[in-house]
Amino acid sequence: MSGATGRLTDGALSALLDQMRGTSEPSTPASLAARKLSHDVGIASHPLYRQIELQKNLATLAGLPSPYYRRHDARAGHVSVVEGKQVVNFTSYDYLGLNGDPRILSAVVQAASEFGTSVSGSRITSGERQIHRELELALAKNYAAEDCVAFVSGHAAAVSALATLMGPKDLIVHDAFIHNCIVVGAQLAGSTRRLFPHNDLDALETLLAVDRERFQRVLIVSEGLFSMDGDGPDLERLLAIKERFAAWLMIDDAHGLGILGETGRGIFEHQHLDPARVDFWLGTLSKSLVSCGGYIASSAMAVELLKSFAPGFVYSVGMPATNAAAAKTALDLMNREPERVARLQQQSRRFHKTAKRAGLDVGDSWGLGIIPLMTGDSLATLVLAERLLARGINAFPVLPPGVPESGARLRFFINAPHSDSQIDEAVAAVAEEIEYLRHQPLASPS
Ligand SMILES: Cc1ncc(COP(=O)(O)O)c(C=O)c1O
């Protein structure tokens, strides 16, 4: 066939296209397949997939099943049924033992029968349910904040808030052990992101002294109670630093609510500080409040801004009334029954003290709600977790990259209903198993 396309002949056009494709050979299905192979776009070669394989290999090497996605056949609180076996459970952050409380269940049933199981649209377009505002105002009250906005997840609350509040001219500086939701939010915000070593506020101060002036807004982010380590920052000092450098301070107190302070209000109560001095409180409904969702409590203006622009709020479905009802009732119960918080703290301290007495390494944990037993070696930690499970004790092995290299640990979430004997027996079993494993040669991955 002869002819012309514009001023190029068919042959010239084909040669030009080949040149643009970087080949003078005509493209055939076989050559396209070969090119695809040379780029290796298969999921199997994805670096993240390789990470999964590495972890699977670790378990296989030790002849163990994967510790992930274990099937629970019952409500997972301080006890559970894992793959048919009754266990004492230390993997649930139902700190106050409220999951399944009949008063919460009946609030949920009532919300479901009134509003159904979905609000079927973003709150902006599909409207409010009174329970949304009741929950938000109760949370605002906890932090002496002017207002609060609830999102469908804690992770989404953090990502959306950071991406809305911060921009490319700004700096987000956070603790090196901060939760992933802050890292992802900072990436989406397009701000400069810096980290300071865990709880090292001297380093934070030095960093800001050098760099503050280069940025418009600065947001400092830390957690009230770190989820992997069970420790927290010196909030008074963080407040002084943020005031000195004209920065905002956000505290992710996802784990602090229900655990810290005499009545469980969080890290500010634990350290006897005015919560209104913190610019943004980030929290989740999924832990002590036994529901699903997250929130930001702040000034009325900041909340208005987030409700107008935060993508995870504006362009996402509103929280189901059932979730709001569960969280609101749980918060009411936390406030009305402070003995739950006291009991949680007492049982946590018992675990912490008993573990230390048994020679176990609890890291820097404050001994409140979250207690890691540092083991260091990933393979040994997997074996340890499996042997404990066989004895009816379920604790989660936390391995890198979730924690730093050589930072493998068994993490224990303490729940208020854990009994003295459940705690004492778990600690004794860990100590025995560690001693046993010390004398066993374990295959180590090369
Ligand atoms: C410290 C911290 N922040 C935020 C989140 C996210 O909360 P959610 O599970 O409600 O999405 C978590 C969840 O584990 C967390 O541990």
Side-chain angles (χ1 to χ4, degrees), residues 54-216:
L54 206 74
Q55 296 226 332
K56 278 188 196 158
N57 289 345
L58 194 67
T60 313
L61 246 169
L64 301 170
S66 162
Y68 306 116
Y69 299 103
R70 293 219 195 259
R71 196 188 74 239
H72 282 251
D73 301 320
R75 175 169 59 80
H78 72 294
V79 290
S80 188
V81 180
V82 175
E83 284 153 9
K85 184 179 166 66
Q86 189 85 35
V87 295
V88 178
N89 188 38
F90 293 95
T91 65
S92 286
Y93 38 54
D94 176 12
Y95 296 119
L96 300 178
L98 283 170
N99 193 16
D101 184 286
R103 295 160 293 183
I104 296 177
L105 294 184
S106 92
V108 168
V109 168
Q110 195 191 326
S113 59
E114 228 175 306
F115 300 110
T117 49
S118 174
V119 295
S120 307
S122 163
R123 279 166 63 188
I124 291 192
T125 54
S126 80
E128 295 285 60
R129 311 297 181 274
Q130 185 58 25
I131 190 69
H132 288 142
R133 282 308 282 154
E134 283 174 15
L135 170 66
E136 288 169 339
L137 294 175
L139 288 165
K141 187 169 171 222
N142 185 72
Y143 299 104
E146 288 175 355
D147 207 349
C148 177
V149 51
F151 293 73
V152 287
S153 93
H155 198 283
V159 172
S160 271
L162 263 65
T164 306
L165 295 165
M166 305 301 283
K169 292 182 183 162
D170 302 331
L171 170 69
I172 297 172
V173 52
H174 62 76
D175 190 287
F177 288 2
I178 205 76
H179 191 264
N180 166 276
C181 59
I182 299 300
V183 176
V184 175
Q187 286 165 344
L188 192 58
S191 308
T192 300
R193 182 170 71 91
R194 296 272 166 76
L195 24 140
F196 55 93
H198 183 50
N199 280 334
D200 184 347
L201 302 189
D202 288 339
L204 169 65
E205 201 156 13
T206 306
L207 189 155
L208 289 176
V210 173
D211 272 347
R212 170 64 185 97
E213 287 309 316
R214 292 179 42 221
F215 298 96
Q216 193 172 346

Side-chain angles (χ1 to χ4, degrees), residues 74-75 140 144 153 157 227 244 258 277 322 391 406:
R75 175 169 59 80
S153 93
S227 56
R244 174 173 163 213
R277 289 173 66 197
T322 45
R391 293 177 64 162
S406 309

Side-chain angles (χ1 to χ4, degrees), residues 121-124 128 136 149-152 156 160 303 306-319:
S122 163
R123 279 166 63 188
I124 291 192
E128 295 285 60
E136 288 169 339
V149 51
F151 293 73
V152 287
S160 271
V303 168
L306 292 174
K307 285 173 91 165
S308 306
F309 290 103
F313 182 83
V314 177
Y315 301 103
S316 188
V317 70
M319 174 186 300

